[in-house]
Amino acid sequence: MLEVRGLATAIEAADAMLKSANVRLLRQWRTDPGMISLIVEGDLAACRAALDAGSAAAKRLGEVVSRCEIGRPDPDTETLVEELLKPQSATEPPVPPPAPLAPPDEAAVLASIVAAPQGLSLAEVKAAFPLMAITREWLQAQCRAGVLVRRRNRYFPAGETR
C-alpha cells in the first residue's frame, strides 16, 4: 500500500510501481481531499521493489504520506484488505444532487447594499445570500442599468456619495 498527496503524484507513482516489478494494481481511491491510496499485489520482493520505485517517483513529484508492505498477511488482515477493495455497496442511499440556486431577489440584494455604509463586495453579497445565483455579471448589469456604482471592488447604490 502506498498513500500519496495529489492526483498527478498518484498517477506517477502507480506508473512507476507497475513498470518496475511484476505487480498488479488492485485498487486506488481518494482517502482525503488530495490524498490517494494505491494497493498492489504480487510477490513480496516484487511488492517491495514496486513500493521503492513508487515512493521514489512520488517524492520527486509530490509527497509520500505513508507506505506499508505486508508479507504473508494474517487471514483477518487479508479479510480487512479484501473488504477495503470491494466497491461501495448498492444499499447505500444515493446522494441527492444539490438544489439549484434561485435567481437573485433584486429588491433584497439592493436593500442590503443600501444598508451597508461601506458598500458590499461580490463575496459579501454571495455570503449574505448563499442560496441565490448572484454573479459578478448580474452586479455589473445593475451598474450598467444605473442602479449600482462600483468603486474599488465594492458596490454602492447609484447617486449616493460615500
Side-chain angles (χ1 to χ4, degrees):
M1 292 179 262
L2 182 66
E3 189 170 38
V4 298
R5 192 173 308 277
L7 177 63
T9 305
I11 292 170
E12 180 73 21
D15 184 55
M17 291 168 72
L18 296 173
K19 287 179 179 176
S20 68
N22 187 19
V23 294
R24 182 171 73 105
L25 182 65
L26 294 179
R27 174 122 194 249
Q28 78 288 334
W29 72 93
R30 192 179 73 200
T31 56
D32 218 10
M35 289 191 0
I36 299 175
S37 297
L38 307 165
I39 295 183
V40 294
E41 177 184 60
D43 298 328
L44 183 58
C47 286
R48 283 189 178 147
L51 282 172
D52 289 339
S55 294
K59 284 178 186 173
R60 281 192 306 272
L61 194 60
E63 177 186 354
V64 175
V65 177
S66 64
R67 74 177 258 176
C68 177
E69 51 201 55
I70 303 173
R72 293 179 300 144
D74 182 82
D76 290 339
T77 305
E78 203 169 340
T79 303
L80 172 71
V81 172
E82 287 172 359
E83 286 297 318
L84 286 173
L85 295 176
K86 286 184 183 175
Q88 300 252 338
S89 71
T91 60
E92 293 179 12
V95 177
L101 297 176
D105 177 10
E106 293 183 22
V109 174
L110 295 175
S112 70
I113 292 173
V114 168
Q118 73 281 7
L120 292 177
S121 68
L122 174 62
E124 291 168 335
V125 173
K126 283 184 172 185
F129 300 95
L131 300 178
M132 291 187 189
I134 298 172
T135 62
R136 178 170 277 116
E137 290 78 20
W138 182 81
L139 289 170
Q140 289 172 348
Q142 297 300 315
C143 290
R144 284 191 298 274
V147 178
L148 296 176
V149 175
R150 181 175 178 210
R151 287 190 294 251
R152 294 186 173 193
N153 293 328
R154 300 188 81 72
Y155 295 91
F156 298 90
E160 288 189 24
T161 57
R162 292 187 185 178

Short mmCIF file of all heavy atoms in Angstrom, two decimals, residues 1 39 47 56 79 119 127 130:
data_model
loop_
_atom_site.label_atom_id
_atom_site.label_comp_id
_atom_site.label_asym_id
_atom_site.label_seq_id
_atom_site.Cartn_x
_atom_site.Cartn_y
_atom_site.Cartn_z
N MET A 1 0.85 -1.17 0.00
CA MET A 1 0.00 0.00 0.00
C MET A 1 0.89 1.23 0.00
O MET A 1 1.89 1.28 0.70
CB MET A 1 -0.89 0.01 1.24
CG MET A 1 -1.93 -1.09 1.26
SD MET A 1 -2.91 -1.05 2.75
CE MET A 1 -2.04 -2.31 3.68
N ILE A 39 -3.07 0.26 -3.89
CA ILE A 39 -2.78 -1.08 -3.36
C ILE A 39 -2.35 -1.95 -4.53
O ILE A 39 -3.05 -2.04 -5.54
CB ILE A 39 -4.00 -1.70 -2.66
CG1 ILE A 39 -4.36 -0.90 -1.42
CG2 ILE A 39 -3.73 -3.14 -2.29
CD1 ILE A 39 -5.49 -1.47 -0.61
N CYS A 47 6.64 -6.61 -4.64
CA CYS A 47 5.90 -5.52 -3.99
C CYS A 47 6.87 -4.52 -3.36
O CYS A 47 6.66 -3.31 -3.45
CB CYS A 47 4.93 -6.06 -2.94
SG CYS A 47 3.47 -6.84 -3.65
N ALA A 56 9.89 6.59 -4.70
CA ALA A 56 10.89 7.48 -5.30
C ALA A 56 10.24 8.42 -6.31
O ALA A 56 10.52 9.62 -6.34
CB ALA A 56 11.99 6.66 -5.96
N THR A 79 -8.74 -10.41 5.14
CA THR A 79 -10.18 -10.13 5.05
C THR A 79 -10.44 -8.63 5.10
O THR A 79 -11.27 -8.10 4.35
CB THR A 79 -10.93 -10.84 6.19
OG1 THR A 79 -10.67 -12.23 6.13
CG2 THR A 79 -12.44 -10.61 6.08
N GLY A 119 -20.59 49.83 1.53
CA GLY A 119 -20.85 49.07 0.32
C GLY A 119 -20.56 47.60 0.55
O GLY A 119 -20.17 47.19 1.65
N ALA A 127 -22.13 35.81 0.35
CA ALA A 127 -22.23 35.27 1.71
C ALA A 127 -23.56 35.64 2.35
O ALA A 127 -24.14 34.85 3.10
CB ALA A 127 -21.07 35.78 2.56
N PRO A 130 -26.59 33.12 0.24
CA PRO A 130 -25.93 31.91 -0.27
C PRO A 130 -26.79 31.05 -1.19
O PRO A 130 -26.26 30.27 -1.95
CB PRO A 130 -25.55 31.15 1.00
CG PRO A 130 -26.51 31.63 2.03
CD PRO A 130 -26.81 33.06 1.68
#
